[in-house]
């Protein structure tokens, strides 16, 4: 099996692991928005924003460092055990401190109920401890097991959400028998807490399934190896924190400047941009180990160029589908009409996420050359753009400013990575072809969104036309791929 064919096969399997859970999460948005008003939905958004920051801090770039050192170190077991022990120690320290000062930290973060933060601590601790086991499955080409565990996780989360946010209220309304303990639990806590509890239980199930894999290796901590890994991973951690700022700070600032209701509406519509996030995540899960494992091959750069071209083609196509059917997706996925007022951000967020995906492709140069500090620099530049643009423009033009800030930040990071990467690890990317598909996709989206919105006959024609362009220009390569 060719390396490129292996990459596409693994990416499809990883895509199931990434897309299906997130797709289910998207459909849960309707359950959440139907159950919670916009202000309460904002509490849910705050919770997961802080979860993203803590996740970036506690993993401190060790996942990417694991891939890099696993591919080049002879003693693979030592890389696994050193990575896991380092995360175990730092996570347990965080766990103890966070629980001891739970009330004070909860107040600092703005949680009205200290139990919210306690659940966040439990969830993040469990999620951090499975980073290395999950990475090990990816680097050893075990996508099926990886996918199965991911699906179990989202299955548990979904069942608990549906049970407490739909079935229990339905049972109580229709006077169906429920155990008294469940009724008391449901009535004594705010509805949003059931979402957080579901997340904690789902993380626990994943931890129990993956933890036995840790004992396959000797528990040995190589201090010298850890120092080298940490030197590599620390800039990634800073970059990850800056990246989380690019993706999530807008929601916190909107809540402070415009109020919780406007933030909740923005956050719900932002979820429609997750279609592109799904695509990027599926790609990244397969791409990261693939890039490292194929770095020493003669045609590596040619392969990287081809991967980016097809990533952009598919990404542009997916983006077009979402925009031309945006009202249909909104009716299916958003529970209340009050959330529809922010749909104008969706095309901007989709393009921003596509730029982010291109940036992730380009970022391989600083990961392969061990110059991860550049990733940190690019993310910090993006974070500065996000902060300044939001603070200046939200009071002037409202929540649309946050969408534009995301687009400008990710676009700037993409451009910087390309030009700096040319000097350190030049790859002959097909820029004209990439720009061709991006421009056509954006033009078709603009026409559909501004002139023919909601006219699905035009949406179908637009999609068929764009697909025809792809096939006309790439038919020879498509035939070769299908023939293989």
């Amino acid at each position: 099996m060719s390396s490129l064919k292996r990459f596409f096969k693994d990416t499809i399997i990883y895509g199931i692991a990434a897309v299906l859970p997130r797709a289910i999460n998207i459909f849960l948005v309707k359950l959440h928005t139907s159950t919670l008003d916009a202000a309460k939905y904002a509490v849910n958004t705050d919770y997961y924003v802080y979860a993203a920051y803590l996740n970036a801090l506690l993993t401190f770039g060790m996942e990417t460092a694991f891939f890099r050192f696993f591919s080049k170190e002879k003693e693979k077991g030592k890389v696994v055990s050193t990575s896991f022990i380092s995360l175990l120690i730092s996570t347990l320290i965080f766990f103890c401190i966070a629980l001891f000062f739970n009330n004070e930290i909860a107040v600092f973060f703005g949680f009205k109920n200290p139990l919210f933060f306690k659940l966040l601590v439990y969830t993040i601790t469990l999620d951090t401890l499975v980073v290395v086991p999950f990475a090990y499955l990816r680097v050893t080409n075990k996508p099926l097991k990886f996918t199965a565990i991911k699906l179990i996780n989202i299955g548990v989360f979904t069942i608990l959400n549906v049970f407490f946010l739909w079935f229990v209220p339905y049972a109580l309304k229709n006077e169906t028998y429920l155990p008294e303990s469940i009724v008391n639990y449901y009535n004594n806590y705010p509805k949003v807490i059931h979402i957080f509890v579901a997340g904690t239980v789902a993380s626990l199930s994943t931890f129990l399934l993956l933890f036995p894999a840790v004992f396959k290796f000797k528990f040995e901590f190589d201090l010298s190896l850890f120092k080298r890994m940490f030197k590599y991973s620390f800039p990634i951690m800073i970059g990850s924190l800056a990246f989380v700022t690019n993706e999530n700070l807008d929601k916190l600032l909107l809540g402070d400047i415009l109020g919780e209701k406007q933030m909740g509406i923005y956050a719900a519509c932002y979820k429609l941009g997750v279609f592109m996030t799904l695509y990027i995540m599926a790609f990244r899960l397969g791409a990261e180990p693939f890039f490292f494992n194929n770095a020493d091959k003669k045609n590596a750069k040619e392969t990287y160029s081809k991967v980016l071209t097809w990533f952009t083609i598919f990404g542009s196509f997916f983006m077009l589908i979402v925009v031309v059917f945006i009202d249909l997706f909104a009716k299916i996925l958003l529970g209340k009409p009050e959330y529809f007022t922010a749909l104008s951000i969706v095309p901007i967020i989709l393009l921003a996420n596509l730029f982010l995906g291109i940036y992730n492709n380009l970022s391989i140069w600083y990961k392969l050359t061990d110059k991860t500090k550049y990733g940190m620099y690019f993310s910090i530049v993006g974070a500065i753009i996000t902060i300044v643009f939001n603070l200046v423009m939200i009071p002037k033009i409202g929540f649309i400013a946050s969408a534009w800030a995301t687009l400008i930040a990710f676009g700037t990071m993409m451009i910087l990575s390309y030009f700096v990467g040319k000097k350190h690890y030049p790859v002959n990317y097909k820029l004209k072809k990439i720009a061709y598909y991006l421009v056509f996709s954006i033009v078709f989206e603009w026409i559909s969104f501004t002139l023919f919105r909601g006219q699905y006959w035009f949406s179908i024609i637009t999609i068929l036309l764009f697909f025809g362009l792809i096939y006309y220009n790439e038919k020879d390569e498509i035939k070769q791929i299908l023939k293989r």
Side-chain angles (χ1 to χ4, degrees):
M1 183 183 294
S2 69
S3 59
L4 194 59
K5 188 174 180 181
R6 158 74 69 174
F7 165 70
F8 282 118
K9 179 184 176 183
D10 287 354
T11 299
I12 290 171
I13 299 173
Y14 284 126
I16 296 172
V19 172
L20 192 55
R22 287 296 187 98
I24 293 172
N25 253 320
I26 293 173
F27 284 101
L28 286 176
V29 169
K30 185 167 186 177
L31 176 62
H32 296 163
T33 54
S34 299
T35 307
L36 308 171
D37 58 35
K40 290 291 188 297
Y41 188 76
V43 176
N44 179 57
T45 301
D46 283 342
Y47 181 91
Y48 286 104
V49 168
Y50 289 126
Y53 273 108
L54 289 173
N55 179 264
L57 182 65
L58 291 178
T59 56
F60 54 88
M62 189 54 68
E63 182 184 49
T64 304
F66 174 86
F67 289 126
R68 178 58 174 159
F69 283 83
F70 191 92
S71 65
K72 72 176 187 177
E73 294 288 326
K74 292 182 179 179
E75 297 185 62
K76 310 296 185 184
K78 192 173 289 186
V79 175
V80 177
S81 59
T82 299
S83 303
F84 179 77
I85 291 171
S86 64
L87 288 177
L88 176 64
I89 293 172
S90 59
T91 303
L92 289 179
I93 292 172
F94 159 79
F95 181 79
C96 295
I97 294 174
L99 289 187
F100 187 79
F101 295 103
N102 176 67
N103 292 338
E104 292 81 358
I105 299 176
V107 172
F108 177 79
F109 280 171
F111 290 124
K112 296 179 180 179
N113 190 332
L115 184 56
F116 292 175
F117 180 70
K118 190 174 289 186
L119 288 168
L120 178 59
V121 171
Y122 294 149
T123 305
I124 290 299
T125 297
L126 293 167
D127 288 346
T128 304
L129 293 179
V130 298
V131 165
V132 171
F134 265 135
Y136 179 73
L137 292 180
R138 290 167 61 193
V139 81
T140 55
N141 293 319
K142 295 181 180 178
L144 290 176
K145 186 175 181 180
F146 178 96
T147 301
I149 295 174
K150 285 287 186 180
L151 294 182
I152 291 171
N153 175 282
I154 192 61
V156 173
F157 182 72
T158 302
I159 290 170
L160 291 176
N161 268 269
V162 172
F163 181 78
F164 282 110
L165 297 182
W166 177 78
F167 179 75
V168 172
Y170 175 84
L172 292 175
K173 183 179 179 181
N174 291 277
E175 299 182 351
T176 304
Y177 170 76
L178 286 172
E180 188 177 349
S181 58
I182 292 177
V183 174
N184 290 336
Y185 165 73
Y186 179 80
N187 290 328
N188 291 334
Y189 293 98
K191 290 181 181 179
V192 72
I193 206 169
H194 305 312
I195 302 174
F196 306 154
V197 170
T200 303
V201 175
S203 295
L204 177 61
S205 67
T206 301
F207 174 79
L208 294 175
L209 289 169
L210 277 173
F211 193 69
V214 175
F215 297 101
K216 292 182 179 180
F217 301 91
K218 292 182 180 179
F219 265 67
E220 52 181 338
F221 183 80
D222 188 321
L223 183 59
S224 175
L225 174 62
F226 171 73
K227 288 180 179 178
R228 287 185 288 127
M229 293 183 76
F230 186 73
K231 182 180 179 181
Y232 181 92
S233 69
F234 182 77
I236 295 176
M237 180 191 73
I238 302 299
S240 296
L241 290 169
F243 169 74
V244 172
T245 297
N246 295 334
E247 241 191 0
N248 294 293
L249 186 68
D250 53 353
K251 302 171 188 67
L252 298 180
L253 291 176
L254 281 170
D256 291 338
I257 298 173
L258 300 181
E260 295 296 315
K261 182 177 180 180
Q262 287 295 303
M263 188 267 266
I265 292 171
Y266 173 88
C269 287
Y270 193 98
K271 290 279 188 178
L272 294 180
V274 83
F275 285 107
M276 187 61 66
T277 307
L278 296 181
Y279 172 60
I280 294 170
M281 179 179 291
F283 175 85
R284 188 180 69 83
L285 288 172
E288 199 161 40
F290 170 82
F291 284 153
F292 283 119
N293 290 335
N294 288 273
D296 296 330
K297 295 188 177 180
K298 292 182 179 180
N299 64 338
K301 292 185 177 181
E302 180 184 345
T303 300
Y304 298 160
S305 175
K306 189 173 293 187
V307 167
L308 178 60
T309 300
W310 279 102
F311 171 85
T312 308
I313 291 172
F314 285 127
S316 299
F317 189 55
F318 292 154
M319 181 170 63
L320 178 64
I321 291 173
V322 176
V323 173
V324 299
F325 290 111
I326 189 169
D327 291 295
L328 181 61
F329 284 122
K331 290 176 183 177
I332 294 172
L333 300 175
L334 299 180
K336 298 176 182 177
E338 67 175 320
Y339 290 100
F340 295 0
T341 55
L343 284 178
S344 57
I345 72 168
V346 177
I348 303 170
I349 295 299
L350 286 168
L351 182 59
N353 284 332
L354 182 56
F355 283 171
L356 174 63
I358 295 173
Y359 169 77
N360 287 337
N361 273 269
L362 298 172
S363 69
I364 193 61
W365 73 261
Y366 63 73
K367 293 177 181 177
L368 290 178
T369 57
D370 296 344
K371 296 179 180 178
T372 52
K373 63 181 180 181
Y374 285 99
M376 175 181 70
Y377 298 152
F378 301 149
S379 296
I380 290 174
V381 170
I384 293 172
I385 292 172
T386 298
I387 294 169
V388 173
F389 197 94
N390 273 288
L391 289 175
V392 173
M393 299 304 296
I394 287 176
K396 296 181 179 179
I397 60 177
F399 54 66
I400 195 73
S402 296
W404 284 112
T406 305
L407 176 64
I408 296 169
F410 289 155
T412 302
M413 290 166 59
M414 175 185 70
I415 293 169
L416 286 174
S417 184
Y418 172 74
F419 282 106
V420 178
K422 282 179 65 177
K423 299 179 181 179
H424 298 277
Y425 191 84
V427 177
N428 185 28
Y429 293 113
K430 308 301 181 183
L431 296 184
K432 289 183 179 180
K433 182 178 288 190
I434 289 170
Y436 173 86
Y437 288 110
L438 277 174
V439 170
F440 266 101
S441 177
I442 293 169
V443 170
F444 286 166
E445 289 164 28
W446 182 84
I447 294 172
S448 175
F449 192 81
T450 58
L451 302 177
F452 295 94
R453 185 171 170 183
Q455 300 184 37
Y456 297 128
W457 62 269
F458 182 81
S459 302
I460 294 171
I461 291 174
T462 303
I463 290 172
L464 291 175
L465 182 60
F466 192 74
F467 181 79
L469 284 174
I470 296 173
Y471 184 78
Y472 178 78
N473 292 313
E474 313 299 333
K475 58 179 178 289
D476 293 336
E477 191 160 357
I478 292 174
K479 289 178 181 178
Q480 288 181 4
I481 292 173
L482 293 176
K483 189 176 180 180
R484 292 174 190 170

